[in-house]
Amino acid sequence: MRLTIDGRSVEAVPGQTVLDAARAAGIYIPALCYHPKTGKAGRCRACVVEVEGMRGLKESCALEAKDGMVVHTATPKVMETRRLVVDLLLAEGHHNCISCQANSSCELQDMVYHLGVERPSFLIESEPTPLDLSSPGIVREADKCIHCGRCVEACQNGVVNEVLAFAYRGSHAKVVCDDDVPMGESTCVQCGECVQVCPVGALVLKQPRDVRIRPHETTATKVTCPYCGVGCQIDLHTKDNRYVFAMAHEGQWEKQPNKGMLCIKGRFGLDFVDSPDRLRTPLIRRDGELQEATWDEALDLVAERLKATKEQHGADSIGFFTSAKVTNEENYALGRFARAVIGTNNIDHCARL
Ligand code: SF4
Ligand code: SF4
Ligand code: SF4
Ligand code: FES
């Protein structure tokens, strides 16, 4: 089916929203509460558009595209409404982009810039809320929260850890962990999915903060998580070839085994790549001491010992353990080596232990 957005004929598939159809065609519509993984929320009204034949402004994130629809995304009425939305959001929190970790990767900041809001129209004086630094990997800054609800939806229904929820009423409403305890004292399992979907700097990772490198300064490289056999797709963020932090790769997230989510290991456990404690060369024990050796020396020694053991005690005296942390191809190669070269079926895998 086809609809017209800002005078352009745009293709859409049944079930697609106007927002998704517009984005697929490269038309910018801001969206603060909507995220592809958490779905429509209809909470912020940042995404409003005008549709010919429909009364009032419509939330494009919740409006199903229909054949023949005529949509306008940037009329004076739409822009005025969006400006009011961001004006109220800026007035409600304490936003200081200069020092914010989300600077240059913040969806609210993008929207403010796009709308040309030079300075907030309303000023509400309030005491700043202290940062919640209690969690090992995540910083929470309630004053930057725009109450979009993405983190709550992600924690409740995405990863189903059910830690985050909205609590209190009116101007006291806020996102809380469990019964409003610090994150580090809650039942949070540190999966980081709430950070992944937060559009602003209200939830950020500690790792880049610790080294004072903002996400936009890093280069993201898509890798497969080495920790288990699920095969989660990760964006490894590096600067000057050093690890800074990891986020789930969200491109085509529906088709990924991890659906754009990570566990604590993939999210926070990859800093070992730059650890000075990592083995850089094989080690051979000589005279009771582990000593550095070349790969040729190490492989010759292993071959020699395997041969001697097989000759002396038979092939079944040798066994092999392989790992979910290596590729299928490497596991297959070891299976072939055990059976075809050594001649034993004694091969097992850590995933069975
Ligand atoms: S959350 Fe966004 S808008 Fe708020 S201070 Fe940080 S960068 Fe600026
Ligand atoms: S890190 Fe995971 S478990 Fe903890 S609050 Fe965020 S989404 Fe919930
Ligand atoms: S913490 Fe972030 S994701 Fe959660 S409601 Fe606030 S702004 Fe939205
Ligand atoms: S993004 Fe549509 S209402 Fe928030």
Side-chain angles (χ1 to χ4, degrees):
M1 71 176 141
R2 299 199 79 82
L3 60 160
T4 305
I5 305 180
D6 294 342
R8 277 176 57 189
S9 178
V10 166
E11 198 168 340
V13 293
Q16 201 171 23
T17 62
V18 170
L19 178 73
D20 284 336
R23 283 185 170 180
I27 298 168
Y28 172 71
I29 300 178
L32 295 175
C33 65
Y34 168 81
H35 185 284
K37 286 195 290 179
T38 52
K40 61 188 174 194
R43 192 186 286 272
C44 73
R45 291 185 60 79
C47 68
V48 287
V49 292
E50 276 194 82
V51 183
E52 287 184 14
M54 288 188 179
R55 289 179 58 191
L57 297 177
K58 298 288 166 200
E59 287 111 0
S60 61
C61 69
L63 183 65
E64 203 175 312
K66 296 274 182 229
D67 196 38
M69 216 175 215
V70 181
V71 180
H72 302 280
T73 72
T75 63
K77 198 169 160 192
V78 164
M79 300 307 262
E80 190 189 330
T81 304
R82 288 191 191 145
R83 274 193 203 99
L84 183 63
V85 166
V86 292
D87 241 352
L88 291 170
L89 289 174
L90 291 176
E92 200 183 358
H94 288 266
H95 293 275
N96 180 4
C97 301
I98 296 171
S99 62
C100 183
Q101 187 166 313
N103 192 4
S104 296
S105 54
C106 169
E107 294 174 46
L108 176 62
Q109 191 186 58
D110 286 348
M111 189 174 164
V112 169
Y113 184 73
H114 180 81
L115 291 169
V117 177
E118 295 291 339
R119 60 192 62 214
S121 311
F122 315 107
L123 275 179
I124 301 175
E125 293 296 330
S126 62
E127 283 299 307
T129 313
L131 298 184
D132 178 359
L133 295 165
S134 61
S135 141
I138 296 170
V139 182
R140 296 176 70 220
E141 189 166 355
D143 286 341
K144 287 179 184 157
C145 176
I146 56 170
H147 295 195
C148 68
R150 287 186 191 179
C151 60
V152 174
E153 177 62 25
C155 187
Q156 292 281 335
N157 299 318
V159 289
V160 200
N161 286 324
E162 300 176 343
V163 179
L164 299 178
F166 279 109
Y168 308 105
R169 296 288 172 113
S171 62
H172 298 291
K174 62 175 182 173
V175 175
V176 296
C177 296
D178 293 338
D179 296 331
D180 196 8
V181 296
M183 187 178 245
E185 292 168 27
S186 73
T187 53
C188 169
V189 298
Q190 296 289 293
C191 69
E193 180 64 4
C194 51
V195 178
Q196 180 96 30
V197 296
C198 182
V200 293
L203 285 164
V204 295
L205 297 179
K206 273 187 178 169
Q207 283 173 329
R209 186 177 189 270
D210 289 345
V211 291
R212 292 282 145 195
I213 296 174
R214 282 176 168 144
H216 79 92
E217 297 172 59
T218 62
T219 305
T221 307
K222 190 171 96 157
V223 299
T224 300
C225 180
Y227 271 110
C228 81
V230 171
C232 296
Q233 298 300 291
I234 295 181
D235 279 337
L236 203 63
H237 288 256
T238 55
K239 187 175 183 204
D240 301 330
N241 221 17
R242 308 277 300 175
Y243 170 90
V244 182
F245 67 98
M247 291 293 256
H249 180 77
E250 289 190 327
Q252 296 200 308
W253 61 274
E254 310 97 314
K255 296 183 183 159
Q256 293 178 23
N258 51 316
K259 299 277 185 285
M261 296 179 272
L262 294 176
C263 75
I264 186 172
K265 293 183 290 181
R267 178 86 59 189
F268 295 109
L270 295 175
D271 51 354
F272 72 85
V273 294
D274 290 322
S275 168
D277 298 334
R278 280 190 77 179
L279 291 182
R280 304 279 168 184
T281 63
L283 300 177
I284 294 178
R285 196 179 298 281
R286 294 186 179 110
D287 303 325
E289 289 281 321
L290 284 171
Q291 294 174 2
E292 287 188 1
T294 64
W295 277 107
D296 279 348
E297 287 171 324
L299 291 172
D300 284 351
L301 179 69
V302 171
E304 196 183 292
R305 294 282 171 85
L306 283 174
K307 201 168 165 218
T309 306
K310 184 178 167 182
E311 280 168 8
Q312 208 175 341
H313 303 288
D316 281 339
S317 65
I318 300 171
F320 294 89
F321 280 103
T322 180
S323 167
K325 293 185 184 177
V326 299
T327 62
N328 284 342
E329 290 78 7
E330 286 161 329
N331 279 315
Y332 177 77
L334 193 68
R336 295 294 296 151
F337 180 75
R339 293 189 172 97
V341 179
I342 301 293
T344 180
N345 289 322
N346 288 339
I347 177 152
D348 214 329
H349 188 283
C350 70
R352 285 192 346 113
L353 303 179

